[in-house]
Amino acid sequence: DALLPHVHPFVQVQLGGAFRLGALARAAAGIKFKPFERIAIVVGAEGSLLMYRFQDNWFQTDKLGLTYGLAYEF
C-alpha cells in the first residue's frame, strides 16, 4: 500500500550459505517513488553480513550503506 500518493515502502531480506563455507545475510529497506506505472525512483538503506571460515577460524565482515536507483518494472 502507498504511504502517500505514488510513495511505496519496501523491505527485502535474503539469506543463504553453505555448510562448510559460511553464511550470508542481506537486508534492504526504503521507499519507492512511482511517478509513472512502471518506473520508480528507489532510496533506502542496505546492510549485509558475511561469515566465512579460513584455516579453521571463523571470520565475519559486515556492511551498512545507502542505496538508490531507478527501476523499471515489467
Side-chain angles (χ1 to χ4, degrees), residues 25-64:
R26 178 185 169 274
I31 57 170
K32 291 192 299 184
F33 173 66
K34 294 179 72 173
F36 305 105
E37 183 178 340
R38 295 182 180 254
I39 296 178
I41 299 168
V42 181
V43 178
E46 176 180 35
S48 65
L49 173 68
L50 172 66
M51 296 178 66
Y52 58 96
R53 194 166 103 181
F54 179 70
Q55 296 180 345
D56 293 327
N57 293 317
W58 283 95
F59 299 92
Q60 77 178 37
T61 182
D62 53 35
K63 178 187 84 159
L64 181 62

Side-chain angles (χ1 to χ4, degrees), residues 1-12 28-45 67-74:
D1 292 337
L3 295 174
L4 298 170
H6 308 290
V7 178
H8 303 268
F10 73 90
V11 174
Q12 296 175 335
I31 57 170
K32 291 192 299 184
F33 173 66
K34 294 179 72 173
F36 305 105
E37 183 178 340
R38 295 182 180 254
I39 296 178
I41 299 168
V42 181
V43 178
T67 185
Y68 59 93
L70 183 65
Y72 177 75
E73 300 174 354
F74 53 94

